[in-house]
Amino acid sequence: MTATGNAVSFSGSAPLTGDIAAIARRDARLVVSPEVEARIAAARAVVDRYVAAEVPVYGLTTGLGAGVDTKLAVDDLVAFQLRVPQARAVGVGAALPREAVRAMMAVRVASMAAGGSGVSPPVFAGLVAALNAGVHPVVPSLGSIGAADLAPLAHMGRALLGDGEAEYRGTVMPAGEALAAAGLSPLPLAPKDGHALVVANSLSVGRACLALEDLDRLLAWSLAAVALNFEAFRANVTAFDDRALAARPAFGQREAAARLRGLLAGGSLLAEGAARRLQDPLSYRCAPQVWGALIHALAEAREATRIEIASSGDNPVVLAEEGLILSHGNFDMTAFVLAWERLGQALAHCAAAIAWRTMKITSAGFSDLPRFLTPLGQSRTGFATVQKTVSLLEVEIRSLAAPVSLTPIPVADGVEDQASLAPSVLAKIEAMIERMRYLVAIELAASAQAVELRGVAGELGAGTGEVYRAIRARVAPLHEDRSQAADFTAIAALVETSEP
């Protein structure tokens, strides 16, 4: 997959998580190469041969789940596929955001393009056309346990058959009307197609692609907040010395320290004797180790996600070169969710460090600055009550970091007794990201205030200086007490939408 302008080409190369985000968030158009079309056709030819030979194949000539023991009549093969998305459209709750639905659709196309689904070329082309036309099925957010995202994909498939609801050009309407308005026809399902639409983890993987884009920005801003706090606190930068870190090169810590040194480069904090203490509290001194763990966990989650969008997790899988269709368990997401659970715990460690540093920089006893960073004396509140918001955000992130991916109760008459809960894992990661943005925003606001009170605003490093100016372009210094809610919201929006 390659991106050119506002188009993403699905070709012979492995898809990129950033391309899925571009399709989902920036309406990049999806272009399918002839190579992918040939791959789809070759796999479909295998399916057609199995149908003609009446060979038992799960979901093709048999029922699904506990119904695997039910052989389908030849004249029921297509009707069964029409029933598959209808019977599995059991989701509840609020509708997924537009970008999540687009990401899910793009990931389903990407995994079909790997060649293992056996989907018919007209249905594959119809899914691509709906995505490019901006027809977005209304998909409830709750209903999948991650043994394939059956319910969300079933709501998608049902809408593309002309049933249910879809959003088109900002208006939610009956799905059949949305398709007609876009100049599209309902998907013409053939044997296996209904199953091919739903038997994947496309929602979980799509949300992961969006989260990775968010986390790249959040990581960069959180490192910027660490560095700006170091400037304000006058912390000891020997914590970033690569010689010490090389003595025990734990995952990611040398990269984290290098990025922090880059932010501080050219500033007075790097001068001999600039630090106020020989050793600072651990939330300062261990920043390379804690953020290094986040960098490592983020890389692991990215690779786990890349594998999913570049591969076919369909069960059964069509192996076109061998002319075979094989049942398996490649839809299981245990390795994927463990990578994301680990990433959530790494975020929680960073959240705790942010919270502690924010408490330290606003404490006169630790920072040697005016208490709660108010320049007008103790008749003013300053950043005092902000500590409550910081405490709440940190504890919620810590709570969300608790594992959720242990196997739920068995379903499908006990046949499906293992599941990853991947959608729930990604949902809580999204909630953690939202809270983490506010934590980073508060540390940035407090550090900018502290830099001014310290009198070092003109001595900042090249990177921290840019960050300080970006904050001050949006938020004025705190003199007289005021509501800071709008300040934190403005900085959080900066963290969400731009690079430091």
Side-chain angles (χ1 to χ4, degrees), residues 35-68:
E35 180 181 356
V36 168
E37 291 175 342
R39 194 181 301 143
I40 294 289
R44 185 65 198 184
V46 177
V47 172
D48 291 341
R49 287 198 296 272
Y50 269 71
V51 171
E54 299 186 29
V55 177
V57 176
Y58 181 72
L60 175 63
T61 57
T62 77
L64 294 170
V68 65

Side-chain angles (χ1 to χ4, degrees), residues 212 216 255 293-305 339 343:
L212 286 168
D216 283 339
E255 178 182 344
L294 176 60
I295 289 170
H296 178 71
L298 183 56
E300 183 179 41
R302 190 185 313 278
E303 177 61 13
T305 305
L343 177 54

Side-chain angles (χ1 to χ4, degrees), residues 425-444:
V425 173
L426 267 298
K428 69 173 188 164
I429 289 289
E430 290 168 355
M432 294 172 80
I433 289 171
E434 179 187 21
R435 287 154 178 77
M436 188 82 156
R437 284 195 193 110
Y438 285 114
L439 268 183
V440 170
I442 292 169
E443 182 174 21
L444 286 166

Side-chain angles (χ1 to χ4, degrees), residues 15 99 104 127 129 135 148 181 216 222 231 274 286 304 306 310 337 344-345 358 363 366 375 411 437 465 498:
E99 67 176 24
M104 177 177 72
L127 179 54
V135 175
D216 283 339
S222 66
E231 298 267 30
C286 298
R306 187 203 63 78
V337 299
Q345 292 177 7
T358 303
S363 167
F366 278 99
V411 297
R437 284 195 193 110
S498 67

Side-chain angles (χ1 to χ4, degrees), residues 230 236-242 244-245 257 280 284-289:
F230 257 72
N236 197 324
V237 294
T238 60
F240 304 156
D241 194 306
D242 190 62
L245 297 171
D280 297 301
Y284 288 87
R285 199 183 340 147
C286 298
Q289 289 74 23

Side-chain angles (χ1 to χ4, degrees), residues 161-498:
L161 291 171
D163 200 10
E165 292 185 319
E167 177 267 320
Y168 179 64
R169 294 185 175 177
T171 301
V172 174
M173 61 186 77
E177 294 181 16
L179 290 169
L184 303 176
S185 300
L187 296 181
L189 296 192
K192 199 180 189 304
D193 283 340
H195 189 212
L197 285 173
V198 306
V199 61
N201 292 285
S202 306
L203 174 60
S204 303
V205 178
R207 291 171 89 168
C209 293
L210 300 180
L212 286 168
E213 183 172 83
D214 292 339
L215 285 162
D216 283 339
R217 288 198 186 103
L218 185 56
L219 170 64
W221 277 106
S222 66
L223 285 168
V226 172
L228 191 60
N229 197 323
F230 257 72
E231 298 267 30
F233 199 77
R234 308 315 280 173
N236 197 324
V237 294
T238 60
F240 304 156
D241 194 306
D242 190 62
R243 294 166 296 183
L245 297 171
R248 193 218 60 170
F251 294 136
Q253 68 179 25
R254 296 178 74 183
E255 178 182 344
R259 292 176 69 168
L260 289 165
R261 291 195 304 271
L263 287 160
L264 295 168
S268 64
L269 186 61
L270 298 182
E272 188 73 27
R276 291 187 301 117
R277 290 185 173 91
L278 179 63
Q279 288 197 153
D280 297 301
L282 298 186
S283 56
Y284 288 87
R285 199 183 340 147
C286 298
Q289 289 74 23
V290 176
W291 264 258
L294 176 60
I295 289 170
H296 178 71
L298 183 56
E300 183 179 41
R302 190 185 313 278
E303 177 61 13
T305 305
R306 187 203 63 78
I307 289 169
E308 296 298 330
I309 61 175
S311 310
S312 174
D314 294 70
N315 174 50
V317 64
V318 179
L319 304 176
E321 291 186 3
E322 291 83 357
L324 294 175
I325 302 179
L326 299 178
S327 294
H328 60 84
N330 279 349
F331 54 85
D332 181 81
M333 299 284 279
T334 300
F336 172 89
V337 299
L338 288 178
W340 280 95
E341 290 278 37
R342 172 179 175 154
L343 177 54
Q345 292 177 7
L347 282 170
H349 279 277
C350 291
I354 293 170
W356 279 117
R357 282 196 308 272
T358 303
M359 300 299 183
K360 296 293 191 298
I361 200 66
T362 58
S363 167
F366 278 99
S367 68
D368 293 330
L369 293 171
R371 182 179 293 168
F372 304 133
L373 301 181
T374 174
L376 300 181
Q378 291 312 291
S379 63
R380 271 65 169 189
T381 299
F383 280 76
T385 50
V386 176
Q387 293 186 351
K388 295 178 172 59
T389 306
V390 169
S391 179
L392 180 279
L393 292 169
E394 188 277 330
V395 78
E396 288 202 350
I397 291 172
R398 182 156 31 98
S399 176
L400 288 163
V404 72
S405 60
L406 300 179
T407 300
I409 62 173
V411 297
D413 205 15
V415 172
E416 297 177 13
D417 54 2
Q418 183 91 23
S420 68
L421 285 170
S424 298
V425 173
L426 267 298
K428 69 173 188 164
I429 289 289
E430 290 168 355
M432 294 172 80
I433 289 171
E434 179 187 21
R435 287 154 178 77
M436 188 82 156
R437 284 195 193 110
Y438 285 114
L439 268 183
V440 170
I442 292 169
E443 182 174 21
L444 286 166
S447 297
Q449 180 88 354
V451 159
E452 292 160 350
L453 293 174
R454 184 79 67 189
V456 295
E459 305 174 17
L460 301 178
T464 49
E466 287 186 15
V467 168
Y468 168 74
R469 288 186 290 275
I471 300 306
R472 281 293 168 255
R474 290 158 179 81
V475 173
L478 183 66
H479 296 294
E480 188 59 75
D481 284 345
R482 66 170 186 263
S483 170
Q484 294 188 76
D487 297 351
F488 303 144
T489 299
I491 299 173
L494 180 67
V495 171
E496 182 179 7
T497 60
S498 67

